[in-house]
Amino acid sequence: MSAPLNLLASLALALAAQEDPEAVRKTVDAVRPSIVGLEVTLRKKARIEKAEIEETAQDPEAQRILQMSENGQVYEAWGVAVAKDLILMADGGFRRVDTERIDAVDASGSRFEVRFHSVGRNHDFVLLSPAAPRDLVPLEFGPWTPPAPGEHFHVTYAGFIDGAWHLNVSPYIMTNAPLAPSEGWFCIDLIRPGSVISDGHG
């Protein structure tokens, strides 16, 4: 019975390390001022536009956006302030021609309109800027060493839940390592592009 007990003790220690509330709080304090929720009002397509879209092969995301515009639904995304007047949004699901208006919500709850500033290569990210002059709080990036196996890090992203924007800080334990030593190697199964990755200290 000692082996299962040792295993349970190890799992308990791992969970306790992952759920360090102080480290999560530090991460929230560091990231929260720089993340904004984005609510995109989609432009309804004209009959000719819809016919053209329906005739061409569409990827699932494009079909979803077309359906949302038809139903008058708001497209919810989020971004990170990377300069005083720029928001990086890694969600490339919609295009400038799809949008009627984009409203942002910052950490204080203030709402303001943003517009397309530029689009990344292959439309893998979008830069937005406030429609009226406004000083954002850019995220501060610093030197960072990828965690070694067994060390902790946090992945932070925003989500629209119950009518309000919330931060999700997920603690991870590094379990991957290159077969041969490699400088700067980092691998994570990440399903939310644009998430902020930070060390366990926030």
Side-chain angles (χ1 to χ4, degrees):
M1 291 297 290
S2 61
L5 288 175
N6 286 340
L7 176 60
L8 288 173
S10 299
L11 287 172
L13 286 172
L15 288 172
Q18 278 189 292
E19 297 170 359
D20 179 356
E22 181 63 17
V24 171
R25 187 192 63 75
K26 286 181 179 178
T27 301
V28 169
D29 290 346
V31 177
R32 183 174 177 269
S34 304
I35 287 186
V36 295
L38 300 169
E39 299 168 15
V40 183
T41 303
L42 299 166
R43 183 178 67 84
K44 286 210 170 193
K45 304 288 186 186
R47 187 175 297 173
I48 295 176
E49 288 178 298
K50 284 193 289 184
E52 289 175 352
I53 290 172
E54 288 166 358
E55 285 178 7
T56 60
Q58 292 289 305
D59 62 66
E61 186 63 13
Q63 291 177 6
R64 185 172 78 92
I65 289 172
L66 176 62
Q67 191 65 45
M68 290 179 73
S69 68
E70 288 301 296
N71 295 335
Q73 293 175 283
V74 173
Y75 184 96
E76 294 156 2
W78 60 279
V80 179
V82 292
K84 288 189 175 181
D85 60 348
L86 287 177
I87 298 168
L88 172 68
M89 184 185 68
D91 193 329
F94 65 91
R95 306 290 189 265
R96 190 190 306 253
V97 296
D98 297 325
T99 65
E100 188 74 38
R101 177 186 175 94
I102 306 174
D103 290 302
V105 181
D106 65 15
S108 71
S110 299
R111 296 180 68 88
F112 54 98
E113 186 179 357
V114 296
R115 297 177 181 159
F116 277 81
H117 181 272
S118 57
V119 178
R121 194 167 129 190
N122 299 324
H123 212 285
D124 52 356
F125 69 88
V126 174
L127 285 175
L128 304 168
S129 57
R134 183 184 190 90
D135 280 346
L136 303 170
V137 180
L139 193 66
E140 294 184 15
F141 295 95
W144 185 67
T145 303
E151 292 182 345
H152 298 83
F153 61 96
H154 291 147
V155 177
T156 304
Y157 58 88
F160 195 69
I161 305 166
D162 295 332
W165 286 97
H166 298 269
L167 277 188
N168 183 305
V169 178
S170 299
Y172 281 73
I173 295 177
M174 190 64 178
T175 58
N176 296 322
L179 183 61
S182 175
E183 286 286 333
W185 184 93
F186 182 69
C187 176
I188 173 178
D189 296 325
L190 188 61
I191 59 173
R192 295 180 185 266
S195 295
V196 178
I197 299 177
S198 56
D199 61 30
H201 303 293

